Amino acid sequence: MAITYELLHTCKQTGARYGILHTPHGDFETPIFMPVGTKATVKTLENQEIKEVSDGLILGNTYHLWLEPGDDIVQLHGGIRGFSKWDGALLTDSGGFQVFSLSDIRKITEEGVEFRHHKSGAKLFMSPEDSIRIQHNLGADIIMSFDECPPFDSPYDYMKQSIDRTIRWAKRGLDAHNHPDTQALFGIVQGGPFIDLRTHCAEELINMDFPGYSIGGLSVGETKEEMYRVLDEVTPILPESKPRYLMGVGTPDDIIEGVIRGIDMFDCVNPTRMARHGSAMTSQGRIPIKNKIYEKDLSPLDTECDCKVCTTYTKSYLRHLFKSEEYLGPRLISYHNLYFLKNLMKNIRNAIQNDQLGDFKANFFSKYYK
Amino acid sequence: MAITYELLHTCKQTGARYGILHTPHGDFETPIFMPVGTKATVKTLENQEIKEVSDGLILGNTYHLWLEPGDDIVQLHGGIRGFSKWDGALLTDSGGFQVFSLSDIRKITEEGVEFRHHKSGAKLFMSPEDSIRIQHNLGADIIMSFDECPPFDSPYDYMKQSIDRTIRWAKRGLDAHNHPDTQALFGIVQGGPFIDLRTHCAEELINMDFPGYSIGGLSVGETKEEMYRVLDEVTPILPESKPRYLMGVGTPDDIIEGVIRGIDMFDCVNPTRMARHGSAMTSQGRIPIKNKIYEKDLSPLDTECDCKVCTTYTKSYLRHLFKSEEYLGPRLISYHNLYFLKNLMKNIRNAIQNDQLGDFKANFFSKYYK
C-alpha cells in the first residue's frame, strides 16, 4: 500500500478530523494544504522556499506536464521529483479537470476524450489508461482517476450518464494501475449538486476500495452554500479510515468549512495566483498591495505573521516592487501567501486536537472578514 | 574619508591591479564586478541569493529610484539599504546616463538638464546638486558626479563643450556633497574617443581630488577596439592610489581587457538581462537555453560551475521553465550568470596575484569564444 491514513482525533466541537497521512516520501499531519506546482514548479519559488511554506506535499498537473515538456521528458529524469529536484511528496491530478476546463472543442466517448490543445489547437486524446500511464511517468505518491468534470449546473440526466462513465473509467484506471505499492490511486466522487448521484458514485468507488477519495466538481462556480451542502452529505459516506481530498479548494473560509465537514486534504492555485496580482492573504483579510495607501507604509504585510517577508520588508517596498513590475514582488507575496496557509493549517490542526475548532473559526473569521 | 583603496599587487604579466576597497559596509577585493539592482532589487533575486552571487557590493540606479518610488520614500526607510534590506555595500550612479539614454526630449543648460519622463512624458529637471541630494537620500557608500554622457560619435567641438560642462558640474557636485565621510563621491571621465579631451577631463577631476574615478561614455555602441584604445590612454593618467570604475561594462572579454588596462570596478545589467532572455554564460560560452537541442539534455548548464543551479538542475528542466514562461527560469539563470561572473572575478584576482593573468586570459578565451 503506497499510502495509509491514521485518524488520531475528532474535534468534539465540530467533528473535524486530525490524522496522519503516511506516504513513500514522508508522513503528513492532516488536514493539509498542498501548494500547486502546475508545470513542475510552484510559480516563482525554489525548492528550499517551497519546503519553508508547505508541509512537504505538493501538487503537479498531469495535463500541463503531458503537453509541456511531455511526460516522456519528465520520466527521463525519473519523474517530477527528478525533474524539478523536489524531494518531498507529490500528488498529481488526472488531467480530467483541465481537459474539460481548458479545451473548448471535445468529444467524449466511452473510450476517452478527444479535444484540442488549449494553445496550438492540435487534436489530442486522453483515455483513463492514458492518464494512469502518464501519471506513472510523472511518479507522484498519490495519483487520481481520470474523471469527467461536468459543469455544476448540468442537467440531471447528463450528470447521471457522466458519473456512470466516471465510475467505469475509475475501474479502468484501477485495472491499468500497476504501481499500487508506490503510487496511491484515489477515486474521484462527482455528481454535481445531486446528492443521490454523489452517493451512488461514492458507493461504487468505495466498492473498488481505493486508498483515498477525492471530491471533484466543487469550487467550479457554484455558491459556497451549495458546496457546503454537498460536503455535508458526501463526506459522511466516505470510509473513516481513508483520506478525503477536496480538489481545487483553497480560500481560508472554504478550507475551514471543508475541515469541519471531514475533509483532510486541499489544494488550490489561489494563493500563488493572487500573489502574482499583488493580493496578499493576511490575518486581517486581503491586502491589495498596489493600492496607493501603502505607498509610505513602513509596516509589514501582516504583523501576526513570522514569515521572512513579514519580518523583513515593508508594505511600501512590496508595493514598489509591484508598481515597478519587478519579479521579486510576485515571488515575495507567493511566499507569504503560502506561508499564511501553512500557518492556518497548523492552527486548524491544533484547534482540532484541542476540540476548539469552532472557537478558532469564529475568531479567525472575525478578523479575516471584518 | 568614506572609502580608501589599497593597491596590493600588480600582475607582472599584464600590469593588472589587485587591491582592496575599504568601504563603510565592508572591504572588497578588486577587481570586482557589481551586480545591478536598478530599482532596489537585483531582478528576480532576494538578498540572501545576491550575497551568494556577488562580492557584497551592488549598484542602484538614481534615475529610476528618483522616479519610482521617489527618493523621499527610499529615504523614509533610511536609504536603499533600509528599503530593500540589503545589508552589504552599495554604489549609485548619478542618473546622468539614464537622462541622456532614456529620454528623447531634453534641453541641456549650464544649470542642468530638462527632459521628459521616459514613460509618462512629464517634464523633469535634474541639476548636479539634485543628483547629489537624491544620492544622499539613497544613501549608497559610493556615489557619482552628475555628468553628460554624449554619444560616442559626437563631433569634437560638441564633446569639448560637453566635458567642460561635465567638469564644472563635477565641481558643483563636490561643493554640494556634505557627507564625504559616509559617501565617497567619484568623478566621471568623459570625452568620447578623443584622448586629449579624456586627458583634460581626467586632469581637471584629479585636481579636485575625488576618492575614486569612473570612466564613462564607453560600451555605448563603439567597437571594442575603440574602447580598449581609450582605456589604454586614460587609465595611466589616473592616480594609482584611487579606485577606477569602468561604468556599464560586464562581458567577460571586456572585463578581462579592462582589468589588464588597470580597471578595478565593473557593473553591467547584462548578466541578469541575458538571463531573462534565457541566455546563460558558461565556461564554454553562451548557452541559449530555449534551443531545442537542450530538450532532453540531462547535463548541467556548466559542468565547471559549482553554483546551486548547476549542481541541481538539468538543461532540460531549465529549458522547460523558459518554454513554459515560468518565473523560476529567469531567476535560476540570473543566479547562475552572476555566480559565473563572481567566479570569473575570483579567478582574475588569483591570476593577478600569481602574475599569470595573460595565461588565464588565453585559456579562458580559448574555451569561452571557441
Side-chain angles (χ1 to χ4, degrees):
Chain A
M1 188 75 99
I3 67 152
T4 55
Y5 171 78
E6 272 185 275
L7 174 59
L8 294 177
H9 187 79
T10 302
C11 175
K12 293 191 179 56
Q13 233 178 28
T14 61
R17 292 150 51 102
Y18 168 75
I20 306 264
L21 186 68
H22 301 277
T23 83
H25 293 90
D27 299 332
F28 304 97
E29 290 179 290
T30 59
I32 189 171
F33 177 80
M34 305 175 287
V36 180
T38 296
K39 298 178 183 179
T41 160
V42 176
K43 288 189 194 305
T44 78
L45 301 180
E46 230 201 321
N47 289 319
Q48 176 54 38
E49 292 165 309
I50 303 169
K51 281 194 180 177
E52 291 162 15
V53 299
S54 76
D55 285 314
L57 171 56
I58 67 172
L59 212 90
N61 286 121
T62 292
Y63 174 88
H64 290 99
L65 290 167
W66 172 51
L67 295 180
E68 198 169 41
D71 56 296
D72 56 328
I73 287 174
V74 177
Q75 204 270 332
L76 257 188
H77 291 75
I80 293 174
R81 210 173 274 105
F83 190 49
S84 71
K85 299 300 191 289
W86 167 250
D87 66 358
L90 268 170
L91 180 153
T92 47
D93 60 5
S94 66
F97 179 75
Q98 284 76 20
V99 164
F100 292 98
S101 64
L102 292 180
S103 64
D104 278 340
I105 304 149
R106 60 182 178 265
K107 198 174 125 191
I108 306 170
T109 63
E110 186 61 26
E111 181 54 21
V113 189
E114 193 182 289
F115 59 102
R116 290 189 181 275
H117 190 292
H118 64 286
K119 285 183 186 166
S120 73
K123 200 179 274 188
L124 297 164
F125 182 82
M126 192 182 276
S127 71
E129 290 80 7
D130 290 332
S131 171
I132 297 296
R133 178 184 47 74
I134 296 165
Q135 292 186 82
H136 285 168
N137 286 342
L138 299 179
D141 303 276
I142 302 173
I143 65 178
M144 294 294 132
S145 292
F146 187 66
D147 60 330
E148 184 184 347
C149 182
F152 196 79
D153 59 0
S154 300
Y156 184 88
D157 286 350
Y158 183 83
M159 198 66 95
K160 172 150 185 32
Q161 183 189 330
S162 166
I163 63 146
D164 284 338
R165 187 165 45 224
T166 284
I167 292 164
R168 291 191 298 272
W169 284 0
K171 179 69 174 61
R172 280 168 55 190
L174 200 58
D175 291 342
H177 182 40
N178 50 24
H179 298 176
D181 291 340
T182 54
Q183 297 188 294
L185 174 61
F186 280 27
I188 303 181
V189 178
Q190 290 284 359
F194 307 112
I195 302 303
D196 63 326
L197 298 184
R198 290 270 180 189
T199 303
H200 173 64
C201 186
E203 285 170 350
E204 290 295 320
L205 295 174
I206 292 165
N207 286 339
M208 298 182 215
D209 195 26
F210 286 94
Y213 297 92
S214 306
I215 301 179
L218 291 179
S219 195
V220 291
E222 80 283 7
T223 65
K224 285 177 185 291
E225 287 64 35
E226 280 175 307
M227 176 164 92
Y228 302 156
R229 181 181 60 85
V230 170
L231 291 179
D232 277 333
E233 302 290 338
V234 173
T235 46
I237 308 167
L238 299 174
E240 268 209 332
S241 60
K242 302 285 175 72
R244 301 144 177 191
Y245 163 30
L246 178 54
M247 305 179 81
V249 167
T251 60
D253 55 338
D254 288 347
I255 288 175
I256 293 173
E257 296 295 349
V259 165
I260 287 174
R261 287 161 178 82
I263 297 297
D264 308 303
M265 302 162 67
F266 300 87
D267 82 286
C268 193
V269 296
N270 209 33
T272 45
R273 180 174 290 164
M274 278 171 57
R276 294 197 298 283
H277 294 102
S279 185
M281 303 163 88
T282 81
S283 58
Q284 311 298 313
R286 287 198 190 190
I287 287 188
I289 197 65
K290 292 186 224 175
N291 196 306
K292 193 163 170 67
I293 61 170
Y294 303 118
E295 191 178 26
K296 298 182 180 180
D297 188 332
L298 304 195
S299 69
L301 266 186
D302 189 348
T303 51
E304 293 184 20
C305 180
D306 64 348
C307 85
K308 71 172 177 182
V309 178
C310 291
T311 54
T312 306
Y313 304 104
T314 64
K315 289 197 196 80
S316 173
Y317 181 65
L318 295 169
R319 177 180 188 269
H320 161 67
L321 294 176
F322 273 90
K323 296 302 285 182
S324 298
E325 297 179 356
E326 287 285 350
Y327 282 68
L328 190 57
R331 177 177 162 186
L332 293 179
I333 308 273
S334 293
Y335 184 97
H336 164 78
N337 281 356
L338 288 174
Y339 189 94
F340 176 82
L341 277 188
K342 174 185 179 171
N343 203 44
L344 173 64
M345 300 314 292
K346 188 177 74 186
N347 292 336
I348 287 174
R349 290 192 298 265
N350 286 341
I352 296 172
Q353 290 176 282
N354 295 323
D355 299 311
Q356 294 176 332
L357 186 59
D359 299 341
F360 173 82
K361 169 186 158 180
N363 183 45
F364 179 87
F365 281 11
S366 73
K367 292 195 290 181
Y368 197 83
Y369 296 104
K370 72 166 175 234
Chain B
M1 189 72 100
I3 68 151
T4 56
Y5 171 78
E6 271 185 277
L7 174 59
L8 295 177
H9 188 80
T10 303
C11 175
K12 294 192 178 56
Q13 230 178 30
T14 60
R17 293 148 51 101
Y18 168 76
I20 306 265
L21 187 68
H22 301 276
T23 83
H25 292 90
D27 299 332
F28 303 97
E29 291 179 290
T30 59
I32 189 170
F33 176 80
M34 304 175 287
V36 179
T38 296
K39 298 180 184 177
T41 160
V42 176
K43 287 187 195 304
T44 78
L45 301 181
E46 231 203 320
N47 289 319
Q48 176 54 37
E49 293 164 309
I50 303 168
K51 282 195 178 176
E52 291 162 15
V53 299
S54 76
D55 285 314
L57 172 55
I58 67 172
L59 211 89
N61 287 121
T62 291
Y63 174 87
H64 290 99
L65 289 168
W66 173 51
L67 297 180
E68 199 171 41
D71 56 297
D72 57 328
I73 286 173
V74 178
Q75 205 268 332
L76 258 189
H77 291 77
I80 294 173
R81 210 173 275 106
F83 190 49
S84 71
K85 298 302 190 290
W86 168 248
D87 66 357
L90 269 170
L91 181 152
T92 46
D93 60 6
S94 66
F97 179 76
Q98 283 76 19
V99 164
F100 292 99
S101 63
L102 292 181
S103 65
D104 278 339
I105 304 149
R106 60 182 176 265
K107 198 174 126 192
I108 305 170
T109 64
E110 186 61 26
E111 181 54 21
V113 190
E114 192 182 289
F115 59 101
R116 289 189 182 275
H117 190 292
H118 64 286
K119 285 183 186 166
S120 73
K123 200 179 272 188
L124 298 163
F125 181 82
M126 193 182 275
S127 71
E129 291 80 6
D130 291 331
S131 171
I132 297 296
R133 178 184 47 75
I134 296 164
Q135 291 185 84
H136 285 168
N137 285 343
L138 300 179
D141 303 275
I142 302 173
I143 65 177
M144 295 293 132
S145 291
F146 188 65
D147 59 330
E148 184 185 345
C149 182
F152 196 79
D153 59 359
S154 300
Y156 184 89
D157 286 351
Y158 183 84
M159 198 66 95
K160 172 151 186 29
Q161 184 189 329
S162 166
I163 63 144
D164 284 338
R165 187 167 42 225
T166 283
I167 291 162
R168 292 191 296 274
W169 283 0
K171 179 68 172 62
R172 281 169 55 191
L174 200 57
D175 291 342
H177 182 42
N178 51 23
H179 299 175
D181 291 339
T182 52
Q183 296 188 292
L185 174 62
F186 279 28
I188 303 180
V189 179
Q190 290 284 358
F194 307 113
I195 302 302
D196 63 327
L197 298 184
R198 289 271 180 188
T199 303
H200 174 64
C201 186
E203 285 170 350
E204 291 294 321
L205 295 174
I206 292 164
N207 285 339
M208 299 182 215
D209 194 25
F210 286 94
Y213 297 92
S214 306
I215 301 179
L218 292 179
S219 195
V220 290
E222 79 284 7
T223 65
K224 285 177 185 291
E225 288 64 35
E226 281 176 306
M227 176 164 93
Y228 302 156
R229 180 181 62 82
V230 171
L231 291 179
D232 277 333
E233 301 291 338
V234 173
T235 47
I237 307 167
L238 299 174
E240 266 207 334
S241 60
K242 302 284 176 72
R244 301 144 176 190
Y245 163 30
L246 178 53
M247 305 179 82
V249 167
T251 60
D253 55 338
D254 288 348
I255 287 175
I256 293 173
E257 296 294 349
V259 166
I260 286 173
R261 286 161 179 84
I263 298 296
D264 308 303
M265 300 162 68
F266 300 87
D267 82 284
C268 194
V269 296
N270 210 33
T272 44
R273 181 173 290 164
M274 279 171 57
R276 294 196 299 283
H277 294 102
S279 186
M281 303 163 88
T282 81
S283 58
Q284 313 297 313
R286 286 199 191 190
I287 287 189
I289 197 64
K290 291 186 227 174
N291 197 306
K292 191 162 171 69
I293 60 171
Y294 304 118
E295 191 179 24
K296 297 182 181 181
D297 190 332
L298 302 196
S299 69
L301 266 185
D302 189 347
T303 51
E304 293 184 20
C305 180
D306 63 350
C307 86
K308 71 171 177 182
V309 178
C310 291
T311 54
T312 306
Y313 303 104
T314 65
K315 289 198 195 80
S316 172
Y317 181 65
L318 295 169
R319 176 179 189 270
H320 161 68
L321 294 176
F322 273 90
K323 296 303 284 182
S324 298
E325 297 179 356
E326 286 286 350
Y327 282 67
L328 190 57
R331 177 178 162 187
L332 293 179
I333 308 273
S334 292
Y335 185 99
H336 165 79
N337 281 357
L338 289 174
Y339 189 95
F340 176 82
L341 277 187
K342 174 184 179 171
N343 203 43
L344 172 66
M345 300 315 292
K346 188 178 74 185
N347 291 336
I348 287 174
R349 290 192 299 266
N350 285 341
I352 296 172
Q353 289 176 282
N354 295 325
D355 298 313
Q356 294 176 332
L357 185 59
D359 299 341
F360 174 82
K361 169 185 157 179
N363 182 45
F364 179 87
F365 282 11
S366 73
K367 292 195 289 181
Y368 197 82
Y369 296 105
K370 74 169 173 229

